[in-house]
Amino acid sequence: MSRRPRGACLLVFAREPRPGRVKTRLVPALGSNLAAALYRELLRDTLQTAAASTAERLELWVDRPDPGPYLSQAARAAGMQMHTQRGSDLGLRMHHALAQALARCGSAVLIGSDCPEFDLDYLDRAFDALQHRDAVIGPAADGGYVLIGLKRPQPALFRDIRWGEAQVLEATRERLRGLGLDWQELRTLHDLDEPGDLARFPRLAARARAAIAPGT
């Protein structure tokens, strides 16, 4: 692992794992309770990985000002500062969080809580890339991305993108080229968003079922 400048900041976007509010695309296949339990397992793994990373500062960005006890306790356990996302769409929320973090830190990496494949090496490679590049992207297999990192705020990267569609990654590449930014791409990872994704992560699904089983 290479040494990096002080002030590396890792941001995690998350929601309170309440039934009906998370993993809604999985609800027809799993039901709202199991979909929420699956999200709790995803979030637990993400925060454990984040807490073990070499980032100097850890921030949990939640989607509402009253996140509830689960996220508050999870943030304390992981040693993370909690902040509230702001903006009318995902792009504005990501830009706001990164801009706020970059006012405090020399580099910032933002991840969600939907990717079971994050590990410490992946996060380290992202921060290492920012020692030499303007930006870093972690592509997602569905055409989006699971990670983005910057050294300076870049609002144009997040403006008027059709979030949730398969062209997000390519649109972001076009913005990076248009801005004259030098970026690095990490290996492609898989999110867990759709019922078809469940077969890739059977152990995670089994953990979620066990968590809501009677007597557990």
Side-chain angles (χ1 to χ4, degrees):
M1 183 190 310
S2 60
R3 294 174 61 84
R4 63 178 60 97
R6 288 176 58 81
C9 184
L10 178 61
L11 292 68
V12 179
F13 265 29
R15 294 182 174 189
E16 185 74 20
R18 297 172 182 165
R21 290 200 64 247
V22 294
K23 290 298 164 199
T24 54
R25 283 178 280 178
L26 295 177
V27 169
L30 301 180
S32 59
N33 287 335
L34 183 52
L38 185 66
Y39 180 73
R40 282 192 293 272
E41 297 302 315
L42 278 166
L43 181 58
R44 180 180 295 112
D45 288 353
T46 300
L47 296 184
Q48 286 178 349
T49 302
S53 78
T54 57
E56 184 175 335
R57 183 180 176 92
L58 303 173
E59 298 183 356
L60 183 64
W61 285 78
V62 299
D63 66 330
R64 53 195 302 171
D66 55 340
Y70 186 93
L71 286 181
S72 298
Q73 293 168 8
R76 286 195 297 271
M80 305 181 80
Q81 299 292 318
M82 186 178 289
H83 301 271
T84 303
Q85 300 172 29
R86 301 188 185 280
S88 57
D89 67 16
L90 177 60
L92 292 175
R93 294 194 295 271
M94 288 196 293
H95 166 62
H96 172 261
L98 284 164
Q100 292 294 308
L102 288 168
R104 297 183 283 269
C105 306
S107 63
V109 166
L110 169 63
I111 62 174
S113 44
D114 302 308
C115 179
E117 296 182 334
F118 283 129
D119 58 26
L120 293 176
D121 179 69
Y122 199 82
L123 298 180
D124 280 339
R125 287 178 183 273
F127 282 113
D128 288 345
L130 291 175
Q131 293 189 58
H132 312 288
R133 307 290 181 94
D134 300 312
V136 60
I137 292 281
D142 63 4
Y145 55 80
V146 299
L147 175 153
I148 187 165
L150 297 170
K151 288 194 293 192
R152 294 184 302 278
Q154 302 289 347
L157 283 180
F158 306 98
R159 189 181 300 126
D160 299 325
I161 298 288
R162 299 176 69 175
W163 303 103
E165 299 190 3
Q167 295 78 28
V168 169
L169 177 60
E170 187 52 43
T172 302
R173 288 171 176 150
E174 292 178 4
R175 297 286 177 86
L176 288 162
R177 285 191 286 266
L179 292 166
L181 298 178
D182 180 28
W183 81 95
Q184 180 174 322
E185 293 190 12
L186 306 177
R187 72 180 187 276
T188 299
L189 300 185
H190 295 82
D191 274 333
L192 203 172
D193 288 321
E194 305 284 350
D197 300 328
L198 291 167
R200 187 177 294 277
F201 306 106
R203 292 182 181 178
L204 190 68
R207 282 167 46 194
R209 291 187 176 94
I212 63 171
T216 62

